[in-house]
Each structure stands twice: as C-alpha cells, then as structure tokens.
Amino acid sequence: SGLQSGPVLGYPVLDSRITIHSVQIGRGCSMPMLTAGAMNITKSLLKQTDIRLAEPVMAVEIIAEEDVITAVLQDLTRRRGEVDYTQDRSTDEGVGLAVLRGTV
C-alpha cells in the first residue's frame, strides 16, 4: 500500500516491487503495525530516489479571441503547461486574437 500514493503529485508508483528480506518483530506487534511501518519505509525510500512522473507532453498552438485568453492561460497553468511564445493578431474584421505556443 506504500506504492498507492507516490511522492510525485500523489500518483501511484507503477511497475515496481519492494521486497522485505528481514523483519524483527517485538512482542505485541500486530499486523496493522507492520503494514504501517512497511508503508512508511516505502514512502521514505521513494523520496530518496530519482522518481519521475511519466506523462504525455504535447506541443500546442492556440488561437483565441482576446477576451478569453486569460481563461485559456489559467487552464494551461492548471495543467502544468508552459507558454513559450505569444503574439497578438487581428482578423480582417478587426477582431483581436492572441496566438499561444507552448507545451502541455
């Protein structure tokens, strides 16, 4: 159960196995106590490793009207996106547009 909530954003740790080779149990030690101890040791060890979140990265280009660009930027930030480039543009009808390029 120590792998269910990993050290990076709380996501579970996948494709991993932890083997306990030896345990010294004192008198009156219950199974829930052993489980809690193993979970704490697992989380402590995971924090010491170079664990990374495997998530897709996409290059995006967004063209939006100026009145909604703030909401678009907030959504990108919430999704841990990065804006590399912005440019202001207008259509032939005079509508203001903003172009964003970045990664999500």
Side-chain angles (χ1 to χ4, degrees), residues 3-90:
L3 298 175
Q4 293 301 315
S5 178
V8 181
L9 299 176
Y11 285 104
V13 178
L14 303 175
D15 299 328
S16 298
R17 182 186 318 183
I18 296 176
T19 303
I20 299 173
H21 294 282
S22 168
V23 176
Q24 293 182 357
I25 300 173
R27 192 171 202 179
C29 187
S30 65
M31 187 55 110
M33 290 172 72
L34 287 173
T35 302
M39 187 170 71
N40 286 337
I41 291 169
T42 300
K43 287 187 176 199
S44 176
L45 289 172
L46 286 173
K47 286 180 183 177
Q48 296 175 24
T49 63
D50 184 27
I51 197 165
R52 296 183 185 165
L53 184 62
E55 58 185 342
V57 177
M58 297 176 283
V60 295
E61 180 175 275
I62 301 168
I63 301 173
E65 294 182 7
E66 288 178 340
D67 59 339
V68 297
I69 203 67
T70 301
V72 171
L73 284 168
Q74 289 172 346
D75 191 47
L76 284 173
T77 302
R78 184 177 53 81
R79 296 170 189 262
R80 300 177 349 128
E82 296 178 9
V83 176
D84 300 326
Y85 172 83
T86 60
Q87 176 186 12
D88 292 327
R89 242 191 237 175
S90 328

